Amino acid sequence: MLLELSSDQEIFRDTTARFLTSRVPISEVRSLRNHPAGFEPDYWREGAELGWTSLLVSEEHGGGSVSGGGLVDLTTIAHEFGVHAAPGPLVPTNVVAGTLSTFGGEAHRPVLESLLAGTSVAAWCFGPAVDTDGRGPAGPRCRIADGEVVLDGVQRPVEAAGQAHHILVTARAEGGLTQILVPTDTAGVSIEPMRTADLTRRFAAVTFDGVRLPVEALVGEPGDADELLEYQLQLAVVIGNAEAVGALQTAFDMTLQWAFDRYSFGRPLASYQELKHRFADQKTWLEACHAVNDAAAAAVDDRSPDAKELVSAAKAFIGDYGSELVQDCVQIHGGIGVTFEHDLHLYLRRVTVNRALYGTPADHRQRISTVLENRKERV
Amino acid sequence: MTDAIEDVESFRLRARTWIRANLRPLEPHETLAPTLALPVQTEEEELAALARERELQRMIFDAGLAGIGFPREYGGQGLTTDHQRAFNAEIVGYEYPARLQAPTFSPCGAVLLDFGTEEQKRRHIPAILKGEEIWMQLLSEPSGGSDVAAALTSAVRDGDDWILNGSKVWTTGASTADWGLCLARTNWDVPKHRGLTVFILPIHQPGIEVHRIEMLNGSTEFCQEFLTDVRVPDSDRIGDVDGGWTVGTRWMFHERMLFNSPFVSIPVGTSPGEVGAASIVNVARDTGRFDDRCVRDLLGEAHMLELVGQTLRRRIGRGVAAGRISEQSAAITRLFAGVSSARKATIAFEIAGPAGAAWTADDGAAASCGDDFLMRQTSCIGGGTTEMARNVISERVLGMPRERTPDRDRPFRDVPRSASNRA
Ligand SMILES: Cc1cc2nc3c(=O)[nH]c(=O)nc-3n(C[C@H](O)[C@H](O)[C@H](O)COP(=O)(O)OP(=O)(O)OC[C@H]3O[C@@H](n4cnc5c(N)ncnc54)[C@H](O)[C@@H]3O)c2cc1C
Ligand SMILES: Cc1cc2nc3c(=O)[nH]c(=O)nc-3n(C[C@H](O)[C@H](O)[C@H](O)COP(=O)(O)OP(=O)(O)OC[C@H]3O[C@@H](n4cnc5c(N)ncnc54)[C@H](O)[C@@H]3O)c2cc1C
């Protein structure tokens, strides 16, 4: 998160921080482990009132940012989600709300309103947003004929599919990538819960078997979703990263405190140079994680030409170095660090799951090399 | 201030217009290959290159673009780090006086600005900004560079003068520099930090012998100096007598902040002394390996490290400038730069393949990746080692307990020394 927030941003962030502290303390997060949705509906509704789902939505549609940069503002919320290991589908709901506000038609307006009000959440099937070199299922396909869209195929994992009323699906059509807003109760949609490394977030495998919808369900121009999908991916990555960085911040702070409190051989762990140097590395990586994701968020808000490479650099760096950082926190905790009783794993889980979603670090390094390749001239 | 400061965009335009009209665009081969600091050159080549740089600096000065962060009364522009950053973006791809930037403008110029007397500043800063004076740092000694405050070079008062004796080492470019900033011991009877004083002195004078040192890649820009009864007037003292550590702390701060300084021009996307990610792309092209998925992974990593390094420098720079974090946090950027540069050198070497072992000019950017790999650790040693940065971060930024320091409260003359430096 930025070292300097404006006073409006600071108030905005702090309101969510206080809400999360009181509504989902760690004891509550632990008890949500067995909750089918992972969160209570009124928790999400009250969060929406604090602005959790409105930042990427235009003012005309009832949204609006705090600072003019909606994604930068949203990263302050996502950061607090990470700091508190808080539940709730922040990434998919915001991606879908932002998309419906910019590209959705009149038919989508009621859905957008319910997302803004927090009375429903949304899921997002991003399909082939990241080239994974042939790994994983091919993703859904669709045909458009006689005023209808027919959708087939499987997507997994999809965050919050089991809790959402709508899924924004990316499908391959003859003309190219196409996006469709699918109500989850449509005939032919089946949602199979999956197991996950996170305690409170829920993922599912979604199957579309001859799902038929009127063409009004299309979002944007059919066959023309490539750019839109790229933009959605950038949003998703930046929000997920901000959450991971919040979780890293808590894990680091806890571990530093532990090093002062825990003694071995008559000295605090914090007095051993070997451990001090590891904390110095951790601190450096942590600051670097903050820095690159904040720069990526600003670049996406500004639609800057370097947004793609910054977003992928942030994902690759936070994925790799963030994982090493939090695993080293476990290491420095010793035996207690691998127990369920200790809280460290709540943050380890967040960082771990976010690393694997929306493209792995290796996938994003490939994306960066594609950016480099497309720079024709030698530099 | 009465007159408003020039806004960044109009400054940028002014710089752009002048640069395009007056500076030579670089040829592809000049930016082609990954290179670490300290190129291998003959003495004549080195002197010719420096003469050209002095000339360029004079042109920049005459154009009203020199010393962006230095106050106007000393010939600078009185502008900010944001203006410097705009200039850094505009200078990309053009010839510019690369070697004058560090250590001349900073840390040396910056330290003069912080601690120099009015007379010292008027005498040296304009000369520095005109390219007339090239400076170097006389800091490290054969007895140790990390523990800078344990300097053995002595300065003894003699009337209005000081007499300096001792040796400095690992000084970059001393043989071609004009002036030096020198840390010396003025009091042996107090703990080490309280007995130091900083002086300035002309390098080329009878009492100073400068020897070149060959580095393992053949470069001879590294030097050692022997000072024998060098007489320095008290008017060339910087800061208080025995107040050298106050100066030294700022000096090292400027050194760690080089990449984020309002005093130094560094073309955007380049990191002098580091292997640049852009040049690693050229290695992949020239070895025909761009399509190899493993190579693309490495290229992605190198570029990632570069982008992260740039954004980290900006975060820490702004945080320090705004007083949100301590100046000691500059060690964070220093550590990241050292470690990531070493990794990039490894990546370039890896992609170069067998050309890393033996090469000809036909290997293009892949030539000399082997030499760079040999020099890899310079990025973690020069400017203070990465271990020192880790000590600063853990102790000063995170507040972890200090290492045992038997020298802390003892008169310096009683402090244990390395085997080779015992009296
Ligand atoms: C899977 C597993 C199985 C185990 N099975 C058994 C078993 O069957 N029987 C049994 O008795 N125990 C068992 N243990 C316990 C294990 O031996 C201890 O966890 C381990 O010795 C570390 O001790 P600690 O957890 O108290 O951490 P601490 O000793 O508190 O250490 C915490 C951290 O500080 C570091 N540290 C401590 N002192 C120093 C120092 N001087 N210098 C540098 N770093 C230092 C440690 O390396 C560690 O990273 C098991 C642990 C695990 C994880
Ligand atoms: C390319 C380059 C350019 C340079 N230019 C200049 C220059 O212009 N002017 C100048 O004055 N100097 C210059 N130097 C010197 C540089 O500042 C020193 O080499 C550096 O500070 C290390 O000092 P040293 O070589 O004496 O190593 P030492 O201080 O002897 O250290 C040896 C090793 O021990 C480690 N170490 C030492 N103390 C500790 C500790 N307390 N905790 C953990 N580890 C420790 C160090 O990190 C290092 O790895 C340059 C060096 C290089 C490589």
Side-chain angles (χ1 to χ4, degrees), chain A residues 258 262 264-265 269 272 274-275 331-336 338:
Chain A
W258 163 261
R262 177 85 169 169
S264 74
F265 306 93
L269 295 183
Y272 292 105
E274 204 274 335
L275 297 181
Q331 174 66 21
I332 292 173
H333 272 81
I336 192 85
V338 291

Side-chain angles (χ1 to χ4, degrees), chain B residues 66-362:
Chain B
I68 291 168
F70 287 93
R72 301 188 69 93
E73 61 261 46
Y74 308 120
Q77 307 306 318
L79 299 173
T80 67
T81 308
D82 287 334
H83 295 83
Q84 181 67 63
R85 211 170 278 134
F87 188 85
N88 293 352
E90 297 305 324
I91 198 80
V92 173
Y94 291 88
E95 186 187 24
Y96 85 110
R99 296 170 195 230
L100 297 195
Q101 308 299 322
T104 299
F105 298 155
S106 185
C108 296
V111 166
L112 282 174
L113 191 60
D114 286 343
F115 296 99
T117 61
E118 192 55 31
E119 202 187 319
Q120 288 166 341
K121 289 193 270 197
R122 289 199 184 280
R123 173 161 178 216
H124 294 290
I125 294 177
I128 283 174
L129 297 183
K130 288 176 192 161
E132 290 164 3
E133 287 182 6
I134 295 179
W135 282 62
M136 38 89 57
Q137 322 181 60
L138 294 162
L139 203 54
S140 303
E141 300 194 1
S143 56
S146 298
D147 189 6
V148 239
L152 298 178
T153 293
S154 75
V156 177
R157 188 86 194 217
D158 181 38
D160 284 341
D161 295 339
W162 293 83
I163 311 290
L164 272 62
N165 280 285
S167 174
K168 295 284 178 178
V169 73
W170 319 136
T171 45
T172 311
S175 51
T176 46
D178 307 301
W179 281 80
L181 191 64
C182 180
L183 183 71
R185 180 155 311 279
T186 38
N187 190 338
W188 298 71
D189 299 318
V190 292
K192 65 175 181 182
H193 293 107
R194 303 213 297 266
L196 296 163
T197 306
V198 174
F199 298 93
I200 57 178
L201 39 83
I203 308 294
H204 302 288
Q205 55 168 306
I208 304 184
E209 240 183 87
V210 181
H211 290 255
R212 285 174 181 264
I213 299 173
E214 184 177 1
M215 292 178 97
L216 52 79
N217 70 341
S219 157
T220 54
E221 273 198 57
F222 238 20
C223 297
Q224 177 165 12
E225 299 76 34
F226 297 92
L227 286 71
T228 312
D229 295 332
V230 175
R231 191 166 279 277
V232 177
D234 189 52
S235 56
D236 282 347
R237 168 168 53 80
I238 302 291
D240 296 336
V241 174
D242 294 347
W245 194 242
T246 308
V247 180
T249 306
R250 250 334 253 184
W251 181 343
M252 277 172 274
F253 167 73
H254 286 301
E255 180 153 47
R256 293 185 194 125
M257 290 296 273
L258 268 188
F259 287 96
N260 215 341
S261 157
F263 308 118
V264 176
S265 300
I266 296 172
V268 167
T270 69
S271 308
E274 287 188 25
V275 171
S279 62
I280 303 178
V281 171
N282 294 333
V283 178
R285 291 213 162 102
D286 290 353
T287 50
R289 298 186 68 193
F290 209 112
D291 295 331
D292 179 332
R293 210 172 154 85
C294 297
V295 168
R296 294 168 69 93
D297 186 75
L298 292 170
L299 291 174
E301 183 187 348
H303 194 63
M304 170 196 83
L305 289 172
E306 199 143 292
L307 290 174
V308 172
Q310 286 166 15
T311 58
L312 178 63
R313 290 200 299 257
R314 221 166 300 153
R315 173 182 177 83
I316 300 294
R318 293 203 170 133
V320 169
R324 302 288 302 220
I325 53 177
S326 76
E327 289 193 353
Q328 303 287 354
S329 305
I332 292 172
T333 50
R334 191 277 168 268
L335 175 57
F336 190 89
V339 175
S340 69
S341 172
R343 176 64 191 150
K344 284 185 277 178
T346 305
I347 290 174
F349 181 58
E350 174 66 27
I351 297 175
W359 60 90
T360 64
D362 298 340

Side-chain angles (χ1 to χ4, degrees), chain A residues 56 69 71-72 230-238 293-308 310-311:
Chain A
L56 303 179
L71 183 58
V72 170
E230 172 63 31
Y231 179 61
Q232 290 166 347
L233 177 75
Q234 293 180 6
L235 295 175
V237 166
V238 168
N293 200 52
D294 289 337
V300 175
D301 267 337
D302 298 346
R303 306 279 176 135
S304 154
D306 59 358
K308 181 173 177 176
L310 275 167
V311 166

